[in-house]
Structure formats: C-alpha cells, structure tokens
Amino acid sequence: MNYANIKKYDVANGVGVRVSLFVSGCTHHCKGCFNAEAWDFCYGQPYTQETEEEILTALSHGYIAGLSLLGGEPFEPQNQRALLPLLRKFRERYPQKSVWCYSGYTLETDLLTGRAHCEATDEMLSYIDVLVDGEFVEEKKDLKLRFRGSSNQRIIDLKRTLSEGTVRLWKDGDY
C-alpha cells in the first residue's frame, strides 16, 4: 500500500485533534473529489513498518483524540489488508482513543457484504468507532455539513450499529 499524506494535527476529519492517514488508491473516481491524485494506487510513498510506527508515536500525545483514515479509499481490499495491523496495534496501545474512517463504500451494500468485503473487512470494522460512508456527490456538496462533503454521506456510530444490527447515526459529542 502507498499513502498520500499523514497529518499529525488534523481537526477537520473527526472530533478533536487527530492523526490522519490518507491512503492511496481509489476506484470510485467521484466527480469533484478533493483528493483525486490519490486515486492512483502508486501515488505517494510506500507504507512501511517505519510509517506505521511514526503514526503510532504521533498518536501518543494526550491531546490527540484519535486516528482518522481517509483516502484514496481505506476499504479497497488491498488497503484493508495493510491497515488492519495498524488498527490492531492502535487498539492495543490506545483503547481510549477513537478511530474515524471515511469511505466511498456504503456499509450495508459494500462493506458488510458486497464488492469491498474481504477477509480483513469484519475485523477492520470492529476497530472503527465512526464510519463516514457513501461516495462524494458533487451535486449534493454542502460546505455547511460537518465532517462530510455531500448530503448523501452518513456519519455512522459504527460501534452501536454493529452491536444493535441496525444503522445508528453518530450524534455530535460522541467519540
């Protein structure tokens, strides 16, 4: 896997100050995408053990609320396989911090079953607190929306959703 960027002090992609990893590779190709250069799976730099440790170290500060995964597309199957070890280590070291993940895939049709589901998906979903799902739709773009780009995208409380078996939207103030 390659990655496009690591932001160590991000306040735009989840609650609080976060460390955000922007992975490379996306097959959605949404019209008006803010990060179209990251569609290419070869864009950016190779993700290595050193990269993983850099991210985990950046998360160690008390003022960091958690980790955000963006893209590109974190749920492209080859990206899931690379991100899963990071999420395992994150949960071991920082159980009190949250994980937000942004995906153009839809939870019910693409992630729980469907085209993005692979052997890593269920475990990866189990480590995520908040999932922002759905492709960016330029015609539904709304700059007043918090933590999402278009009104079709949902901010899902993934922990509640998985435990209750029905989609539960995130409420501001959680995670």
Side-chain angles (χ1 to χ4, degrees):
M1 179 181 85
N2 278 16
Y3 70 97
N5 193 12
I6 298 170
K7 289 187 178 181
K8 295 182 181 173
Y9 309 100
D10 189 358
V11 296
N13 296 301
V15 173
V17 180
R18 311 186 69 74
V19 175
S20 292
L21 171 63
F22 293 78
V23 301
S24 296
C26 182
T27 58
H28 300 297
H29 297 187
C30 301
K31 180 176 135 191
C33 176
F34 82 100
N35 201 13
E37 62 273 3
W39 293 350
D40 181 350
F41 284 86
C42 296
Y43 179 78
Q45 302 173 58
Y47 182 85
T48 64
Q49 288 297 319
E50 291 77 19
T51 308
E52 186 173 274
E53 195 52 45
E54 176 185 352
I55 292 166
L56 291 167
T57 299
L59 286 157
S60 69
H61 303 287
Y63 59 85
I64 298 292
L67 173 67
S68 293
L69 302 173
L70 306 93
E73 172 58 66
F75 276 101
E76 294 293 354
Q78 57 268 50
N79 290 343
Q80 290 183 55
R81 293 175 186 111
L83 291 170
L84 190 53
L86 170 66
L87 289 171
R88 286 177 184 142
K89 291 174 187 170
F90 172 85
R91 278 292 171 222
E92 286 174 17
R93 291 189 197 182
Y94 309 110
Q96 75 284 7
K97 297 187 183 203
S98 65
V99 176
W100 281 56
C101 185
Y102 289 75
S103 177
Y105 289 113
T106 302
L107 179 63
E108 302 94 301
T109 58
D110 300 317
L111 298 178
L112 294 177
T113 61
R115 68 184 185 143
H117 193 272
C118 69
E119 76 284 350
T121 308
D122 294 337
E123 186 178 356
M124 187 166 158
L125 288 169
S126 77
Y127 295 127
I128 296 169
D129 297 291
V130 177
L131 174 69
V132 181
D133 81 341
E135 290 187 3
F136 171 75
V137 176
E138 190 170 44
E139 295 76 23
K140 295 182 178 188
K141 180 178 179 178
D142 184 347
L143 297 177
K144 294 177 279 188
L145 294 172
R146 192 166 181 212
F147 302 130
R148 56 193 173 129
S150 58
S151 60
N152 62 295
Q153 295 172 312
R154 303 177 298 176
I155 306 174
I156 299 171
D157 181 334
L158 195 54
K159 293 290 186 199
R160 280 188 61 212
T161 295
L162 294 176
S163 71
E164 296 176 15
T166 188
V167 173
R168 298 293 184 196
L169 297 181
W170 173 80
K171 293 181 183 116
D172 201 357
D174 293 342
Y175 308 107

